[in-house]
Amino acid sequence: MTGDGNLLPLLLLFALVLILAIALAGQMRQRNALRDWLAAPELHAIPDGSGAWREIFSRLQALRKKERKQHLELGNALERFRLAAEALPDGVILLDGHMHIEWLNAAACRHFAFDPARDIGTLAGQLIRQSEFQNLMSAYRAAPVQRSTLLRVGANGSERALSVMLLPFADTGTLLVSTDVTERVRTEVIHRDFIANVSHELRTPLTVMTGFLEQFTAPEPPQGEAARSFHRLMAEQAERMNRLVADLLTLSRLENSDQPPRDETVDIPALLEGLRTEALALSGGKHTIEIAAAAAGKLRGSADELRSAFGNLVFNAVRYTPPGGTISLAWRRVDGAPVFSVTDTGIGIPTEHIPRLTERFYRIDKGRSTASGGTGLGLAIVKHVLARHGGLLKIESVPGKGSTFSARFPADRQL
Ligand code: ADP
């Protein structure tokens, strides 16, 4: 009896230990299954659990499903973006912080004859050797803001014109966008040639007409008031046409020139004196025309082109300033750069017109411009001359008070 009585607690203890061992083994199995799954989720299915593990596993299952779905959606979205970038007619190249090619689309491969397998990882500047692109890269490195240039690519009858733009992207990256503008450039050339040819062809008949008109006044003016008035009108209009043709020819010469401007040494204070004398003649003594500042200094450039540009600004000031007004010419250094400026106390320009003034034939008031002898081409000529000399035109104006036109040149043009 006593022996049996002692055995029972032992049996109970043994049974308890056995149950605990089985439970622990079960927990270990679940834990190992979870560990294996976490180590390589793509190789193992989420384990089936029991008890509290079932809850954990089913939550993990739900999370996994959601993650898979998001992954798939992200993949689809990325693929759509990639396809969209591939379908773009413009070339797109992603460049890293050192300007190595990271990625490019099909159009970029076509434009530059690139091969992704060969060219990804190469410096863009090593593959695009044209000097225009090298200059664009230097300017962009100095100040990384959106910049563009025109490039000619290809050879032997398959030349294309590309407009190439660099712009900052993400933190340190750069986006290169290329657009094929061959057709546009071709049309512009046809357009420019047409204007140059028409202007040239008009010159001879105009010279003949002007010559005959002069004959009418010699040895004495036409008889009768009406005849004199007709003659005066014809002479005025012929003179206007002569100015128009001359300006058109100047503009098309500037536009068609691939050559940089001549490298002459232009004495600007002397040029200002000459312009002041001409402006006084145009004004007929109705304005005060002064030279407000004439710092010593010469400018490197084309004397003819600079005289034409500065002259247009000075004569405009006379034409758009009512009698009694003042016109001041100045030649100074501003922040180290040489600046020519003309200030008038004339009619001024409403702000909204200022950005368009350098377009050909853009006029605020057509009647007034024609009456004052304008051709509508003066500021377009100024813009081209300045661009050829690396200069910039700035226009400031207050309607009813007056305007200041300033031409700023790069410091290295001052001699
Ligand atoms: P235009 O021959 O008509 O003067 P421009 O190209 O020289 O042609 O000038 C374009 C327009 O800009 C002019 O029609 C005129 O309205 C305006 N403009 C130019 N200079 C001045 C000025 N100093 N003051 C006021 N308006 C001006």
Side-chain angles (χ1 to χ4, degrees):
M1 279 300 271
T2 320
D4 280 358
N6 284 342
L7 215 54
L8 191 64
L10 261 176
L11 276 174
L12 277 174
L13 191 64
F14 177 71
L16 198 65
V17 168
L18 195 67
I19 291 167
L20 273 175
I22 290 170
L24 204 62
Q27 296 293 324
M28 289 294 281
R29 210 178 45 250
Q30 309 260 17
R31 198 202 66 134
N32 287 346
L34 178 63
R35 189 198 55 205
D36 290 347
W37 178 76
L38 283 174
E42 63 288 352
L43 294 181
H44 302 97
I46 288 199
D48 273 337
S50 56
W53 289 99
R54 185 191 296 276
E55 170 80 14
I56 292 172
F57 289 156
S58 74
R59 290 219 174 163
L60 277 174
Q61 189 104 40
L63 271 176
R64 181 88 209 278
K65 238 169 133 176
K66 195 166 153 200
E67 188 210 347
R68 273 209 189 117
K69 191 166 164 246
Q70 282 175 345
H71 195 77
L72 204 72
E73 282 172 0
L74 193 65
N76 284 343
L78 274 177
E79 182 58 10
R80 281 180 69 77
F81 274 119
R82 198 187 62 78
L83 289 175
E86 287 297 347
L88 277 177
D90 288 344
V92 180
I93 305 181
L94 302 192
L95 303 171
D96 68 12
H98 299 286
M99 299 300 216
H100 294 104
I101 298 179
E102 277 187 340
W103 180 86
L104 69 170
N105 70 352
C109 292
R110 270 199 316 277
H111 287 167
F112 297 102
F114 283 169
D115 171 0
R118 183 193 59 205
D119 297 327
I120 284 183
T122 311
L123 286 168
Q126 266 175 17
L127 296 174
I128 309 173
R129 306 296 307 174
Q130 287 91 326
S131 57
E132 291 86 354
F133 186 71
Q134 302 293 329
N135 294 342
L136 178 74
M137 292 264 278
S138 311
Y140 181 82
R141 276 214 194 87
V145 291
Q146 184 176 321
R147 292 171 187 281
S148 49
T149 190
L150 193 72
L151 284 190
R152 310 230 165 235
V153 293
N156 300 335
S158 65
E159 292 97 346
R160 318 283 309 160
L162 293 182
S163 159
V164 175
M165 188 201 299
L166 291 179
L167 60 152
F169 155 75
D171 264 353
T172 55
T174 295
L175 208 58
L176 185 159
V177 181
S178 56
T179 310
D180 192 327
V181 290
T182 312
E183 285 315 311
R184 199 188 77 201
V185 169
R186 200 169 287 156
T187 319
E188 277 171 12
V189 170
I190 294 172
H191 185 195
R192 285 208 304 255
D193 285 354
F194 174 75
I195 293 182
N197 290 337
V198 167
S199 323
H200 198 77
E201 292 302 322
L202 280 174
R203 232 168 37 165
T204 317
L206 255 174
T207 313
V208 174
M209 271 170 56
T210 319
F212 279 125
L213 273 170
E214 278 164 13
Q215 293 293 312
F216 278 119
T217 55
E220 54 192 49
Q223 296 301 302
E225 186 48 41
R228 273 197 297 277
S229 157
F230 291 152
H231 179 266
R232 199 176 49 247
L233 266 176
M234 282 162 70
E236 273 170 18
Q237 293 305 318
E239 172 53 27
R240 207 179 133 224
M241 271 181 87
N242 269 320
R243 277 199 308 270
L244 196 59
V245 167
D247 275 2
L248 275 172
L249 279 171
T250 305
L251 195 57
S252 57
R253 259 197 297 270
L254 289 169
E255 284 180 337
N256 287 333
S257 168
D258 286 337
Q259 303 295 316
R262 295 234 296 273
D263 241 352
E264 294 162 328
T265 302
V266 188
D267 182 345
I268 303 293
L271 174 63
L272 259 55
E273 272 303 337
L275 287 175
R276 179 171 174 268
T277 310
E278 285 182 58
L280 279 169
L282 178 67
S283 149
K286 297 195 191 82
H287 303 88
T288 305
I289 302 177
E290 59 184 26
I291 296 186
K298 301 189 160 83
L299 199 69
R300 194 166 47 79
S302 155
D304 281 349
E305 290 183 22
L306 291 170
R307 190 179 307 111
S308 157
F310 291 6
N312 272 312
L313 295 178
V314 176
F315 305 144
N316 273 353
V318 175
R319 292 193 293 117
Y320 296 106
T321 299
T326 301
I327 288 126
S328 311
L329 319 187
W331 173 240
R332 340 180 139 88
R333 259 182 178 257
V334 181
D335 300 330
V339 177
F340 166 75
S341 64
V342 186
T343 300
D344 64 52
T345 55
I347 59 173
I349 305 155
T351 315
E352 67 272 20
H353 292 289
I354 290 180
R356 299 197 57 192
L357 285 189
T358 55
E359 288 173 23
R360 283 180 254 184
F361 297 116
Y362 186 84
R363 281 128 157 185
I364 300 168
D365 178 344
K366 193 166 183 329
R368 193 192 293 253
S369 162
T370 315
S372 64
T375 61
L377 296 170
L379 293 180
I381 293 175
V382 172
K383 187 176 110 175
H384 271 85
V385 170
L386 295 191
R388 281 167 57 73
H389 287 78
L392 277 178
L393 179 67
K394 188 168 154 202
I395 306 171
E396 294 156 295
S397 188
V398 180
K401 290 236 177 318
S403 317
T404 297
F405 286 71
S406 330
R408 184 190 178 96
F409 294 90
D412 61 8
R413 281 215 168 256
Q414 171 125 28
L415 297 170

